[in-house]
Amino acid sequence: MNDPTLNYVSCPDADGGHRMAYWAWGDAQAGHVIVCVHGLSRQGRDFDVLAQDLVARAGHPVRVICPDVVGRGQSDRLVNPAHYQIPQYAADMVALLAQLQQQALVTCLDWIGTSMGGLIGMVLAGQPGLPLPQPVHRLVLNDVGPVIQWSALQRIGTYLGQPVQFADEKQAAAALWLISTGFGSHTPEQWLALTRPMLRELPGGGLGLHYDPAIAVPFRALQEEDALRGEAALWQLYDQIQARTLLLRGAQSDLLSPATAQAMAERGPRARVVELAGVGHAPTLIAQDQRDTLVDFIFAAEAPLS
């Protein structure tokens, strides 16, 4: 497997700023930029298999950019945990896109977002006045929409930020699989490859998770009423999206309901909905059929999607 390059961008915040790491694949001078953003407790190396496929099958030079959202992976941790929320993440992505534009002009911008990464994409694509180098052209929302089932948030809250320590990668992979069965079937080799970037060495020995446990602070403060109030704002953003939109839904997802997916097909950008059998929340975009669907969408001619 080829390795991506690790890069950093300086991002402003209320406490003096921080650095966000991102992994870059493909041609650093390519005008076609595809940004892939991970879920709540994940990191940018989740997209290794997809990124290589996108580069190989593009038919023209592309840059595939996979950030570690702040507090995850190789990125800095925030001074104030209260800022581990979508507005800060979206502002960081604006800074990232500005840096990419300085490095080489962006002529086409596509966005692939899994769960939280999809919400960030909705914020960027649903606000036409943002200073992006190009409007988002194609948007992939991977098992997420304006309505997030409260029961799924409760499930995630049972493990997010909990202190853990593993003796080795094998033990870590087994433990992470117990909370990730919704990802669908993977070979042991695939799962170990997904697990390795999720780990960091602990000062006293053993392995811990890559992210700042404090990302759970604002998550745990969220009440069901807050989530319900947020739905209206998310629908407003969704309805303003002009990008051609693909919605992937795990057929067994507990986070994105069939009713929400249907509504997303009927309003706003009228997403093309593809349901993936045998998968819950969230598809990892490693299986060949998942990658085929996504790659075909990103590189499709400008014909109608239906």
Side-chain angles (χ1 to χ4, degrees), residues 10-171:
S10 296
C11 303
D13 63 33
D15 300 296
H18 58 271
R19 290 196 315 167
M20 182 174 68
Y22 63 96
W23 304 90
W25 300 84
D27 186 340
Q29 298 299 307
H32 187 179
V33 172
I34 306 169
V35 181
C36 303
V37 184
H38 59 78
L40 180 64
S41 64
R42 305 293 302 183
Q43 38 64 49
R45 299 301 299 269
D46 273 3
F47 296 101
D48 281 5
V49 174
L50 175 64
Q52 291 176 90
D53 207 4
L54 287 166
V55 170
R57 297 166 65 182
H60 59 267
V62 294
R63 273 185 281 177
V64 181
I65 305 297
C66 306
D68 287 344
V69 175
V70 66
R72 287 86 167 168
Q74 303 301 313
S75 292
D76 288 349
R77 298 184 174 192
L78 293 178
V79 173
N80 185 351
H83 295 153
Y84 282 128
Q85 299 196 58
I86 298 294
Q88 181 66 63
Y89 304 154
D92 289 358
M93 298 304 164
V94 171
L96 168 62
L97 291 169
Q99 179 164 299
L100 295 175
Q101 172 78 343
Q102 289 178 348
Q103 292 169 351
L105 290 181
V106 177
T107 57
C108 180
L109 174 62
D110 295 328
W111 190 279
I112 299 168
T114 294
S115 197
M116 178 187 75
L119 295 179
I120 299 168
M122 286 171 54
V123 170
L124 297 189
Q127 297 186 77
L130 290 180
L132 306 182
Q134 291 287 336
V136 176
H137 182 225
R138 289 182 172 91
L139 172 66
V140 178
L141 301 175
N142 185 17
D143 209 62
V144 72
V147 180
I148 297 173
Q149 298 301 112
W150 181 248
S151 58
L153 295 178
Q154 290 177 305
R155 172 181 60 78
I156 294 167
T158 62
Y159 63 79
L160 186 70
Q162 296 295 330
V164 293
Q165 182 172 340
F166 310 112
D168 53 34
E169 288 181 349
K170 185 176 179 180
Q171 185 187 61

Side-chain angles (χ1 to χ4, degrees), residues 121-300:
M122 286 171 54
V123 170
L124 297 189
Q127 297 186 77
L130 290 180
L132 306 182
Q134 291 287 336
V136 176
H137 182 225
R138 289 182 172 91
L139 172 66
V140 178
L141 301 175
N142 185 17
D143 209 62
V144 72
V147 180
I148 297 173
Q149 298 301 112
W150 181 248
S151 58
L153 295 178
Q154 290 177 305
R155 172 181 60 78
I156 294 167
T158 62
Y159 63 79
L160 186 70
Q162 296 295 330
V164 293
Q165 182 172 340
F166 310 112
D168 53 34
E169 288 181 349
K170 185 176 179 180
Q171 185 187 61
L176 289 176
W177 178 247
L178 293 176
I179 60 171
S180 308
T181 54
F183 287 6
S185 178
H186 291 73
T187 67
E189 293 77 18
Q190 288 172 334
W191 188 249
L192 193 58
L194 278 171
T195 297
R196 285 193 184 102
M198 296 286 291
L199 306 173
R200 64 181 182 90
E201 293 185 2
L202 296 175
L207 300 171
L209 292 175
H210 68 97
Y211 65 81
D212 182 356
I215 66 172
V217 171
F219 187 88
R220 292 215 174 95
L222 184 71
Q223 300 296 313
E224 189 169 7
E225 315 84 76
D226 302 324
L228 291 172
R229 280 194 297 268
E231 287 178 12
L234 287 171
W235 275 122
Q236 184 176 12
L237 287 168
Y238 182 77
D239 287 339
Q240 294 175 162
I241 292 172
Q242 298 297 309
R244 294 159 63 84
T245 302
L246 170 67
L247 175 63
L248 300 176
R249 179 179 182 272
Q252 300 167 3
S253 176
D254 64 346
L255 187 140
L256 177 65
S257 72
T260 299
Q262 181 64 32
M264 293 170 72
E266 295 172 350
R267 59 188 284 185
R270 294 182 172 84
R272 174 190 171 196
V273 179
V274 175
E275 193 163 272
L276 301 170
V279 186
H281 183 76
T284 60
L285 311 179
I286 288 175
Q288 189 68 54
D289 63 328
Q290 296 175 23
R291 285 186 284 124
D292 287 346
T293 297
L294 198 151
V295 171
D296 289 348
F297 171 77
I298 291 291
F299 300 127

